[in-house]
Amino acid sequence: MFKGRDVLSILDFSTSDLERLFRKASTIRPGNVLKGKILATAFFEPSTRTRLSFETAILKLGGSVIGVGGEEATSLAKGENLADTVRMLDAYADVIVIRHPLEGAAKLAAEVAEVPVINGGDGKQHHPTQAMVDLYTIRKEVGRIEGLRVAAVGDLRYGRAATSFLYGICKFGVEKLFLVSPSPLRPREEVLEFLKASGVEYELTSDLEKVMGEVEVLYITRIQKERFPDPSEFEKVRGSYRLTPELVEKMKEGAIILHPLPKVEEIDLRVDESRHARYFQQATYAVPVRMALLSLLLGGR
Amino acid sequence: MPGNSQELVVRKIERGTVIDHIPVGQALNVIKILGVGGEKHTVAVVMNVASKKYGRKDIVKVEGKELSTVEVNRIALVAPEATINVIQDYKVVRKNRVKLPERIQGIVRCTNPSCITNKPREPVTPTFRVLSRSPLLLLCEYCGSRISQEDVVKQYAG
């Protein structure tokens, strides 16, 4: 069941929940099912796609948006705590999307708020709706998730999108996961423990070239500069991996490249033209997936 | 050489608390967690003696101090099977087993500096799921970090 539910982690959603969401996403059309409903966005970190696709989604379903744009513009700058800000949004809106630099912020918001809270990213921990978009994209572009060989490339340590992607894709019985990163950016211990417990076969490597021809899905991410405890650590791994047209040439026919975006140096601009590149398509799917999610959470049809 | 009778090692206390059935090697951590290592308390430590139940064990005796429930729960973090004996007039007047619940609230801090539970002035209590009792391993319900027994002991040692 979705109605009234908080969306804090992809781990809270079963495959049948996700299948239901995907079915809804593939059939949903603009309309007025959420007329009169108000979505509040509370973004305490920069965002382009997550915030705008949520706003687009509610508007397409006939609802409206109110927003908190960064700490400077709100009473947080006057020293108000997060819980009090969330209490107000709870009183004004029917659903809250929150993004915050601290891990667990969305869980706290969900404890304070009566209305459903959607985690739009909490620190390095979770980004459940991005994982929903990612899985939906694979379903649409490859046709299935089960039995695929998948590489997750890049900052698997501090990247919440990458972490949520790994949690999500394990649910669908992939054949093998390649975790490709320089060793300081390998998944955190709790993520590796989860992969072990889930029984999925995985391999840790730093050799991107070696996995190019092995996989049906290559999911690459940006190095999360803003989450490094020490800037000198970032300088050490900066530019340590880069997807070039030469590497992409080695991919299997029909294999796809995904990226949660924004991308910076890790993808050569020429790769955008490749028939394997699907990250802009992926960003487009964010709207129907989030329309479907809002519609299910708010009980519209 | 460890004796069969504890009385041979340390004399009885008149009033206070005897913490029995501490896993071997954890007695000093129990003292750290209780904060009784300073000048205020007389403490007797018995290490690596024979135990009917557990083979070997440590024992801590604290003179003149009765433990509160909160303190008893803290002991469970390093000694999940410990027995607490409250002593008056050289006799055991109360005996309690410590209990480490499945969830721990408030008595341990998360070690992750960017966890929401470390943000001041938010209505949030650090909460952990107990993944393992011995050795202790906790999972922060807010940020997913894992907290080891060593991390917990460090928090009380300061």
Side-chain angles (χ1 to χ4, degrees), chain B residues 19-51:
Chain B
I19 304 148
D20 199 357
H21 302 119
I22 300 169
V24 170
Q26 293 298 332
L28 294 178
N29 285 336
V30 168
I31 290 169
K32 278 185 198 162
I33 279 185
L34 290 177
V36 293
E39 290 169 4
K40 272 198 201 148
H41 300 94
T42 302
V43 177
V45 182
V46 184
M47 288 167 132
N48 196 27
V49 290
S51 156

Side-chain angles (χ1 to χ4, degrees), chain A residues 1-300:
Chain A
M1 281 306 289
F2 274 90
K3 193 167 179 182
R5 197 168 165 180
D6 297 312
V7 182
L8 301 180
S9 161
I10 192 72
L11 295 174
D12 301 337
F13 290 81
S14 66
T15 47
S16 69
D17 288 337
L18 294 170
E19 295 293 356
R20 174 145 185 248
L21 178 75
F22 297 162
R23 279 197 304 276
K24 184 96 185 160
S26 59
T27 56
I28 199 157
R29 297 286 173 267
N32 279 314
V33 291
L34 296 185
K35 189 167 165 28
K37 301 288 187 188
I38 296 176
L39 171 96
T41 59
F43 278 64
F44 305 105
E45 273 193 344
S47 165
T48 309
R49 273 152 297 275
T50 303
R51 187 170 61 80
L52 291 180
S53 64
F54 266 115
E55 292 186 4
T56 306
I58 191 94
L59 293 172
K60 283 198 172 202
L61 294 173
S64 16
V65 184
I66 57 171
V68 170
E71 296 209 7
E72 322 74 49
T74 63
S75 287
L76 287 152
K78 300 176 186 166
E80 184 174 64
N81 68 5
L82 177 66
D84 287 358
T85 306
V86 169
R87 281 190 185 103
M88 295 321 303
L89 296 176
D90 184 41
Y92 302 156
D94 299 290
V95 57
I96 300 168
V97 184
I98 182 172
R99 169 171 291 187
H100 198 280
L102 298 181
E103 290 92 41
K107 180 173 162 64
L108 169 62
E111 287 166 0
V112 170
E114 297 279 327
V115 301
V117 169
I118 300 173
N119 186 359
D122 63 326
K124 58 182 182 282
Q125 191 176 210
H126 293 301
H127 195 348
T129 63
Q130 180 66 48
M132 290 167 181
V133 172
D134 300 339
L135 296 169
Y136 183 72
T137 305
I138 297 175
R139 185 50 76 70
K140 292 296 258 190
E141 297 295 314
V142 183
R144 66 193 164 101
I145 307 173
E146 299 74 10
L148 294 182
R149 292 161 72 83
V150 176
V153 181
D155 187 348
L156 308 179
R157 182 170 189 80
Y158 299 110
R160 59 192 170 208
T163 301
S164 290
F165 176 73
L166 292 175
Y167 286 154
I169 202 151
C170 279
K171 292 176 184 284
F172 286 88
V174 289
E175 188 186 302
K176 183 163 181 184
L177 269 179
F178 294 91
L179 306 173
V180 189
S181 65
S183 56
L185 299 183
R186 285 188 176 162
R188 297 189 299 281
E189 185 207 356
E190 74 255 24
V191 181
L192 290 176
E193 288 293 335
F194 172 86
L195 294 179
K196 264 178 224 158
S198 77
V200 67
E201 187 189 349
Y202 70 89
E203 181 180 330
L204 291 160
T205 174
S206 54
D207 190 347
L208 177 56
E209 188 173 356
K210 196 190 76 184
V211 307
M212 291 307 297
E214 295 277 337
V215 299
E216 286 84 41
V217 176
L218 186 123
Y219 187 92
I220 183 166
T221 62
R222 175 180 68 92
I223 299 184
Q224 308 287 305
K225 182 182 179 182
E226 64 277 25
R227 301 203 200 286
F228 277 67
D230 178 356
S232 69
E233 292 298 311
F234 169 71
E235 289 305 327
K236 277 185 210 159
V237 291
R238 183 178 191 165
S240 52
Y241 57 94
R242 185 172 164 81
L243 199 57
T244 59
E246 294 71 39
L247 282 172
V248 170
E249 272 309 297
K250 297 178 194 290
M251 292 184 86
K252 288 188 207 171
E253 199 48 49
I256 62 170
I257 304 165
L258 300 181
H259 192 305
L261 304 179
K263 61 185 173 69
V264 283
E265 298 163 331
E266 64 279 359
I267 299 186
D268 189 309
L269 284 179
R270 291 170 294 168
V271 173
D272 293 357
E273 310 296 324
S274 156
R275 64 189 186 286
H276 299 287
R278 295 297 155 81
Y279 30 87
F280 298 125
Q281 188 60 43
Q282 181 186 4
T284 308
Y285 286 134
V287 173
V289 170
R290 289 182 171 124
M291 282 167 78
L293 182 65
L294 290 174
S295 155
L296 291 169
L297 292 181
L298 297 176

Side-chain angles (χ1 to χ4, degrees), chain A residues 79 81-83 103 111 125, chain B residues 112 114 116 121-122 141-143:
Chain A
N81 68 5
L82 177 66
E103 290 92 41
E111 287 166 0
Q125 191 176 210
Chain B
N112 170 14
S114 62
I116 190 73
R121 292 193 318 102
E122 295 291 352
E141 290 195 355
Y142 285 86
C143 77

Side-chain angles (χ1 to χ4, degrees), chain B residues 42-110:
Chain B
T42 302
V43 177
V45 182
V46 184
M47 288 167 132
N48 196 27
V49 290
S51 156
K52 276 183 211 140
K53 273 197 216 160
Y54 300 105
R56 319 293 297 174
K57 65 179 181 183
D58 287 0
I59 304 169
V60 169
K61 301 187 179 193
V62 187
E63 190 126 37
K65 182 179 171 69
E66 262 191 48
L67 297 182
S68 69
T69 316
V70 174
E71 288 170 317
V72 169
N73 284 339
R74 282 184 195 168
I75 290 172
L77 293 168
V78 293
E81 308 282 343
T83 317
I84 312 290
N85 302 286
V86 177
I87 311 289
Q88 281 167 12
D89 275 336
Y90 299 101
K91 286 193 196 93
V92 177
V93 294
R94 220 169 47 243
K95 205 175 179 102
N96 291 316
R97 284 284 293 280
V98 304
K99 223 197 239 152
L100 188 63
E102 311 220 322
R103 286 172 88 217
I104 292 180
Q105 276 194 298
I107 57 173
V108 175
R109 284 192 317 273
C110 185

